RNA sequence: UGAUCUGUGAUGUAACGGUUAGCAUACAAGAUUUUGAAUCUUGUUGUAUAGGUUCAACUCCUAUCAGAUCAUCCA
């Protein structure tokens, strides 16, 4: 028996260790705690699959707990949407719970803390409080209300609760340590006055607990064994534990907070705030726009729950910052749909094809397999006739051997039908091809078993019969952003990277008649094109399809290679890029200097104009650094003239905000050496001189 | 300037002191093909750097470098 050892992620290892240390397996319990202030996205899916996955592997309950402690931002609409998404993903929660269910318990505990002298009412303004809080590098100081008597605190807190004070006039704070290196421990706020109606408790409460006071205690009430959250909560753990210490009963299970890295996807953004902006500013059509990384967007786009779960599984979970390639997500959906989606024929850019030797008025209904990957899927009939549509791109009057499609005098098979030969074309006055005239070989009918039908021709095309074709609208989506990590550039608004071409609507498409029966949400493979589903905008008279994802297209790659062959790869530039790569890895000042010298030497061979064109497409640190080093080599001049201003300005602007400090340094150096550019970045540079963490950069800026 | 955390190919992850650093994606080549898809086979790229501990280091220690997080009456 080959017993395969499944590798555990670090959280599973922690759980295993806890069990080994004596934790009763029966006591394992998890939770998924969304705040109902937005829609779930693919990043949440990681957390969902993690928590519910652990529930499944350990046969432990998983609670769905809405963290609804801020009535200003939360709405029932979101609660419903979150529940729907979770169910759609295929997960079942043990209990549906709300932090607001615990408001009374939390209040009672707060009273205990006050009585123990561990909490006090502060009546200062938020500005005063912020001032006393200190900074990460300087300790805070105690405020004047810190030593109020228990009686006074109790009385004030009671009045806060009863609504006798205005919002902002008082808060309840934990009394911990104003000098703690952890800012969160400097007397954090437990309650604030908020005279807002809550979506569940109405106007019962005038005070609402803060996240830190709520979360750990809620975990404790629910007896959650492992409270898993994202990395940015790491500093909260100390507070989480402190709050638990105050009310913890040693006979009960004590929850444990552990943190993992949130999942990021390339070419999109993943924060609720930014997604909300895209919706509010009309950049997308709603939370469920098929370009959105939300669960509802992916659903509308045609993704399956299976694919999303598979993605979370193979992407895994760890503690390092990551930007996962969307290609991985796309692989998951293609893999799933390949096995499940029925194949159909649709023509997106039609051109008319006439079979001159096929009888006028004749119609045949040919067999077509629904899915060769699935033997149980059966077959359907598709109508064939004298006049057909094929894709414009599938025909060329002349083409080389690599073009497997139809060309004059050439043969090709029509999928599920006959082998045809192109004889002539009809053009309109503009020279545009309007008809392709072909002959067909009657004996070559698919599946007929004749010698002619078994003959192999290199290309196979999809088609639809004109008289039977159903018109359709097809929406083609592309990535929403042009940049791999649009929100990872300091100071640049992520919206600057919006891809203006992320949606193309095609209203000239035709699909085979079997699709008339299809209903909203149905998924198909349009053969040779991609996977598509029926959008919710679709009606009986106007079929609307979304392209979920295109099929892999090797032909496009071959073609691209041919067209790109002329500007042969520049060996000098490759060399420069290699040197820049070594620069980034090197830790020796000396080595770096010698690398710079090599690049300076090479810069003599680089053409100024070419470099300026290249700069536009820079993505990686290596590229940025290479180009900047060339700029700074002194061999290429960059006076501000019209032809370079645009590219170089954009490039330098981005470079100044790259994460890598070598890149930023070189960009600063460039601006330092080329005074003409300085004004363009004045604001940015002043921000940098204050905030940049790299001392070399700050020093360089001082020399300006 | 401080505290805390994190660095494994192009990307995401595994190996928890002991084979040649594994898996998946991506990329490339070939086979196959009535989808230039899928499938199959093969291949390419990696432990941030420098020291140390050890018979043995991706793994432990130190330093350096790089990145992230930390002051909302948000969560």
């Amino acid at each position: 028996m080959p017993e395969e050892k499944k590798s555990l992620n670090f959280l599973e290892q922690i759980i295993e260790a806890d069990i080994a240390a004596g934790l009763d397996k029966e006591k394992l319990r998890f939770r998924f705690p969304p705040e109902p202030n937005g829609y779930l996205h693919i990043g949440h899916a990681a957390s969902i699959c993690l928590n519910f996955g652990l529930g499944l592997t350990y046969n432990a309950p998983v609670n769905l707990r809405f963290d609804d402690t801020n009535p200003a931002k939360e709405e029932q609409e979101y609660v419903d949407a979150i529940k729907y998404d979770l169910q759609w993903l295929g997960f079942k929660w043990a209990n549906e719970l709300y932090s607001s269910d615990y408001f009374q318990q939390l209040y009672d505990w707060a009273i205990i803390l006050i009585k123990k002298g561990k909490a006090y009412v502060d009546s200062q303004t938020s500005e005063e409080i912020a001032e006393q809080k200190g900074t990460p590098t300087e300790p805070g100081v105690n405020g004047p209300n810190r030593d109020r008597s228990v009686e006074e605190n109790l009385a004030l807190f009671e009045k806060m609760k009863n609504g006798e004070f205005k919002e902002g006039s008082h808060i309840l704070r934990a009394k911990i340590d104003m000098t703690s290196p952890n800012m969160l421990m400097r007397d954090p706020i437990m309650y604030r006055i908020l005279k807002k109606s809550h979506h569940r408790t109405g106007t019962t409460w005038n005070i609402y607990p803060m996240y830190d006071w709520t979360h750990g205690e809620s975990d404790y009430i629910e007896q959650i064994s492992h409270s898993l959250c994202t990395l940015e909560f790491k500093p909260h753990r100390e507070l989480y534990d402190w709050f638990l210490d105050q009310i913890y009963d040693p006979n009960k299970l004590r929850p444990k907070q552990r943190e993992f890295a949130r999942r990021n996807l390339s070419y999109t953004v993943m924060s609720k705030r930014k997604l909300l902006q895209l919706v509010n500013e009309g950049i997308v059509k709603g939370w469920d726009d098929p370009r959105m990384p939300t669960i509802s967007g992916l659903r509308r786009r045609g993704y399956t729950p299976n694919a999303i779960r598979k993605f979370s599984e193979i992407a895994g979970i760890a503690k390092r910052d990551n930007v996962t390639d969307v290609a991985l997500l796309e692989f998951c959906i293609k893999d799933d749909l390949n096995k499940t989606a029925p194949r159909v024929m649709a023509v997106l850019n039609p051109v008319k094809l006439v079979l001159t030797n096929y009888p006028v008025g004749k119609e045949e209904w040919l067999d077509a397999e629904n899915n060769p990957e699935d033997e149980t899927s059966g077959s359907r009939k598709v109508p064939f006739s004298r006049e057909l549509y094929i894709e414009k791109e599938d025909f060329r009057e002349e083409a080389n051997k690599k073009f497997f499609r139809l060309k004059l005098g050439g043969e090709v098979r029509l999928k599920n039908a006959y082998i045809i030969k192109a004889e002539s074309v009809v053009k309109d006055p503009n020279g545009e091809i309007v008809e392709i005239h072909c002959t067909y070989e009657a004996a070559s009918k698919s599946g007929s078993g004749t010698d002619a039908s078994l003959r192999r021709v290199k290309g196979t095309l999809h088609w639809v019969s004109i008289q039977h074709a159903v018109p359709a609208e097809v929406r083609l989506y592309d990535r929403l952003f042009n940049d791999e990590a649009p929100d990872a550039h300091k100071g640049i608004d992520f919206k600057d990277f919006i891809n203006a071409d992320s949606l193309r609507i095609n209203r000239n498409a035709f699909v085979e008649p079997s699709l008339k029966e299809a209903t909203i949400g149905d998924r198909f493979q349009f053969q040779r094109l991609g996977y598509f589903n029926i959008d919710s905008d679709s009606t009986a008279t106007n079929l609307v399809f979304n392209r979920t994802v295109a099929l892999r297209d090797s032909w496009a790659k071959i073609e691209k290679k041919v067209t790109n062959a002329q500007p042969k790869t520049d060996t000098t530039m490759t060399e420069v890029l290699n040197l820049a790569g070594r620069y980034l890895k090197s830790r020796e000042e000396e080595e770096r200097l010698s690398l710079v010298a090599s690049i300076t030497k090479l810069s003599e061979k680089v053409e100024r104009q070419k470099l300026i064109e290249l700069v536009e497409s820079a993505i990686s640190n290596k590229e940025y650094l290479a180009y900047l080093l060339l700029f700074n080599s002194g061999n290429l001049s960059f006076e501000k003239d019209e032809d370079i201003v645009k590219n170089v300005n954009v490039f330098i602007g981005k470079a100044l905000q790259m994460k890598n400090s070598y890149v930023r340094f070189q960009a600063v150096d460039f601006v330092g050496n080329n005074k003409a550019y300085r004004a363009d970045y004045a604001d940015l540079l002043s921000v940098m001189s204050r905030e940049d963490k790299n001392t070399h950069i700050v020093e360089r800026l001082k020399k300006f």
Side-chain angles (χ1 to χ4, degrees), chain A residues 159-201:
Chain A
K159 286 184 179 173
M160 281 169 65
K161 180 198 169 213
N162 293 339
E164 293 176 37
F165 296 128
K166 279 192 306 201
E167 280 187 20
S169 57
H170 303 272
I171 53 168
L172 185 73
R173 301 176 74 176
K175 194 194 267 190
I176 308 179
D177 177 7
M178 288 305 287
T179 64
S180 168
N182 183 350
M183 299 278 301
L184 291 162
M185 299 300 279
R186 324 241 257 232
D187 290 9
I189 299 172
M190 294 171 66
Y191 277 96
R192 77 288 211 190
I193 300 169
L194 234 41
K195 304 209 169 172
K196 297 240 165 42
S197 173
H198 185 278
H199 72 111
R200 298 192 86 236
T201 61

Side-chain angles (χ1 to χ4, degrees), chain A residues 41-55:
Chain A
H41 54 62
I42 185 83
H44 292 112
S47 171
I48 292 166
C49 294
L50 172 69
N51 282 298
F52 284 93
L54 287 169

Side-chain angles (χ1 to χ4, degrees), chain A residues 22-224:
Chain A
L23 175 66
D24 184 356
K25 262 191 180 177
E26 297 295 308
K27 291 198 168 165
L28 285 174
R29 191 177 283 257
F30 307 97
R31 109 264 92 117
F32 174 64
E35 182 189 9
N37 69 341
Y39 285 71
L40 259 24
H41 54 62
I42 185 83
H44 292 112
S47 171
I48 292 166
C49 294
L50 172 69
N51 282 298
F52 284 93
L54 287 169
L56 256 24
T57 49
Y58 290 101
N59 194 25
V62 183
N63 289 342
L64 167 60
R65 179 168 76 231
F66 289 99
D67 221 336
D68 55 350
T69 57
N70 185 2
K73 290 209 285 187
E74 295 147 8
E75 290 169 32
Q76 187 62 36
E77 174 201 347
Y78 296 125
V79 170
D80 298 336
I82 288 169
K83 282 163 65 180
Y84 185 82
D85 284 349
L86 235 29
Q87 275 166 335
W88 180 76
L89 281 172
F91 293 111
K92 288 196 177 69
W93 49 88
N95 304 291
E96 176 184 335
L97 300 164
Y98 295 81
S99 295
S100 54
D101 294 342
Y102 313 135
F103 282 171
Q104 186 60 47
Q105 173 70 80
L106 257 12
Y107 178 79
D108 295 344
W109 274 331
I111 301 279
I112 293 177
L113 259 71
I114 295 174
K115 286 183 178 162
K116 286 192 348 194
K118 300 277 195 173
Y120 63 97
V121 173
D122 199 342
S123 314
Q124 303 181 88
T125 64
S126 53
E127 290 77 22
E128 287 166 324
I129 291 171
E131 205 173 310
Q132 290 152 12
K133 210 152 206 183
T135 70
T137 49
E138 294 163 49
V141 295
N142 292 347
N145 299 318
R146 199 169 195 264
D147 294 315
R148 282 220 251 241
S149 69
V150 170
E151 293 67 35
E152 194 183 353
N153 282 324
L154 249 18
L156 285 168
F157 190 48
E158 171 91 32
K159 286 184 179 173
M160 281 169 65
K161 180 198 169 213
N162 293 339
E164 293 176 37
F165 296 128
K166 279 192 306 201
E167 280 187 20
S169 57
H170 303 272
I171 53 168
L172 185 73
R173 301 176 74 176
K175 194 194 267 190
I176 308 179
D177 177 7
M178 288 305 287
T179 64
S180 168
N182 183 350
M183 299 278 301
L184 291 162
M185 299 300 279
R186 324 241 257 232
D187 290 9
I189 299 172
M190 294 171 66
Y191 277 96
R192 77 288 211 190
I193 300 169
L194 234 41
K195 304 209 169 172
K196 297 240 165 42
S197 173
H198 185 278
H199 72 111
R200 298 192 86 236
T201 61
T203 52
T204 312
W205 294 89
N206 295 297
I207 54 171
Y208 290 92
M210 302 288 288
Y211 166 85
D212 286 301
W213 172 234
T214 309
H215 205 91
E217 321 307 283
S218 301
D219 287 339
Y220 177 68
I221 293 169
E222 293 175 22
Q223 288 288 282
I224 302 299

Side-chain angles (χ1 to χ4, degrees), chain A residues 366-523:
Chain A
L366 305 170
D367 282 320
E369 257 183 316
N370 285 330
N371 187 347
E373 304 284 324
D374 176 5
E375 286 163 10
T376 66
S377 67
S379 65
R380 68 187 186 288
K381 297 280 188 186
V382 286
F384 186 81
S385 65
R386 190 170 194 267
E387 297 187 335
L388 311 168
Y389 284 131
I390 64 163
E391 298 289 345
K392 267 187 192 144
E393 299 86 81
D394 282 344
F395 176 77
R396 282 184 196 174
E397 288 181 81
E398 280 175 53
N400 64 21
K401 265 199 204 144
K402 283 199 171 160
F403 186 78
F404 299 165
R405 286 115 105 132
L406 190 61
K407 55 191 168 195
L408 283 181
E411 282 186 321
V412 93
R413 171 168 291 278
L414 293 177
K415 180 82 185 166
N416 304 317
Y418 300 94
I419 293 174
I420 61 166
K421 184 175 184 183
E423 308 285 359
S424 61
V425 294
V426 178
K427 295 184 182 177
D428 68 8
N430 303 322
E432 192 85 13
I433 296 171
V434 288
E435 280 183 24
I436 304 162
H437 286 193
C438 300
T439 51
Y440 86 111
E441 187 181 348
S444 66
K445 184 167 166 180
S446 291
S448 64
T450 61
D451 284 353
S453 77
L454 296 173
R455 185 160 67 91
R456 284 183 185 168
V457 287
K458 194 67 188 161
T460 302
L461 306 186
H462 61 274
W463 50 271
V464 292
S465 162
I466 293 182
Q467 59 161 305
H468 304 91
V470 179
E473 174 180 329
V474 176
R475 298 177 183 171
L476 302 169
Y477 300 101
D478 199 355
R479 38 191 62 150
L480 239 191
F481 295 91
N482 294 318
D483 189 272
E484 260 186 54
D487 54 0
H489 302 268
K490 290 178 189 166
I492 306 188
D493 185 9
F494 72 100
K495 282 180 276 144
D496 291 355
F497 297 103
I498 292 275
N499 174 10
D501 218 16
S502 60
L503 167 61
R504 289 206 324 272
I505 298 179
N506 175 347
R507 295 198 169 85
N508 301 317
F510 291 96
V511 300
E512 63 169 70
S514 72
L515 287 174
K516 261 193 274 192
E517 323 290 299
T519 56
I520 289 170
D522 285 357
R523 305 181 182 92

Side-chain angles (χ1 to χ4, degrees), chain A residues 228-481:
Chain A
L228 309 175
C229 59
T230 47
L231 239 31
E232 65 266 31
F233 289 99
K234 182 75 214 267
H236 293 251
R237 187 147 117 197
E238 195 181 353
L239 222 204
Y240 181 102
D241 287 333
W242 189 90
F243 277 137
L244 277 182
D245 286 339
Q246 310 311 314
I247 52 104
Y248 168 60
D249 171 354
N251 297 318
K252 286 190 163 177
L253 176 140
R254 179 176 174 130
K256 208 178 213 189
Q257 173 183 308
R258 289 296 179 271
E259 310 82 12
F260 60 90
R262 64 163 3 117
R263 180 134 318 271
N264 298 301
L265 250 200
S266 61
Y267 298 100
T268 191
V269 292
M270 207 70 99
S271 90
K272 277 186 198 168
R273 210 193 83 240
K274 288 178 182 135
L275 294 174
L276 183 64
Q277 259 186 74
L278 293 174
V279 173
N280 285 346
E281 295 176 24
I283 294 165
V284 297
K285 299 206 176 72
W287 284 100
D288 69 342
D289 187 293
R291 291 165 291 181
M292 290 283 270
T294 50
I295 302 296
S296 47
L298 291 167
R299 176 167 56 232
R300 189 163 171 195
R301 175 87 172 244
Y303 274 76
T304 60
N306 251 345
I308 294 173
R309 274 190 269 123
K310 181 81 192 281
F311 170 71
S312 295
E313 184 196 316
I314 64 179
I317 204 93
K319 280 164 92 165
R320 33 199 280 230
D321 293 329
N322 58 77
V323 181
T324 306
D325 197 336
V326 275
L328 194 62
L329 215 209
E330 289 175 349
F331 163 77
C332 292
I333 186 61
K334 282 191 252 187
D335 197 40
D336 190 23
L337 258 18
N338 178 44
K339 293 178 194 122
T340 56
R343 319 279 130 132
V344 294
M345 293 197 282
V347 175
L348 265 35
N349 296 300
V351 61
K352 186 172 174 181
L353 184 149
V354 180
L355 297 171
T356 52
N357 60 342
Y358 193 89
V360 177
K362 180 174 174 182
E363 112 179 6
E364 284 182 89
W365 287 79
L366 305 170
D367 282 320
E369 257 183 316
N370 285 330
N371 187 347
E373 304 284 324
D374 176 5
E375 286 163 10
T376 66
S377 67
S379 65
R380 68 187 186 288
K381 297 280 188 186
V382 286
F384 186 81
S385 65
R386 190 170 194 267
E387 297 187 335
L388 311 168
Y389 284 131
I390 64 163
E391 298 289 345
K392 267 187 192 144
E393 299 86 81
D394 282 344
F395 176 77
R396 282 184 196 174
E397 288 181 81
E398 280 175 53
N400 64 21
K401 265 199 204 144
K402 283 199 171 160
F403 186 78
F404 299 165
R405 286 115 105 132
L406 190 61
K407 55 191 168 195
L408 283 181
E411 282 186 321
V412 93
R413 171 168 291 278
L414 293 177
K415 180 82 185 166
N416 304 317
Y418 300 94
I419 293 174
I420 61 166
K421 184 175 184 183
E423 308 285 359
S424 61
V425 294
V426 178
K427 295 184 182 177
D428 68 8
N430 303 322
E432 192 85 13
I433 296 171
V434 288
E435 280 183 24
I436 304 162
H437 286 193
C438 300
T439 51
Y440 86 111
E441 187 181 348
S444 66
K445 184 167 166 180
S446 291
S448 64
T450 61
D451 284 353
S453 77
L454 296 173
R455 185 160 67 91
R456 284 183 185 168
V457 287
K458 194 67 188 161
T460 302
L461 306 186
H462 61 274
W463 50 271
V464 292
S465 162
I466 293 182
Q467 59 161 305
H468 304 91
V470 179
E473 174 180 329
V474 176
R475 298 177 183 171
L476 302 169
Y477 300 101
D478 199 355
R479 38 191 62 150
L480 239 191
F481 295 91

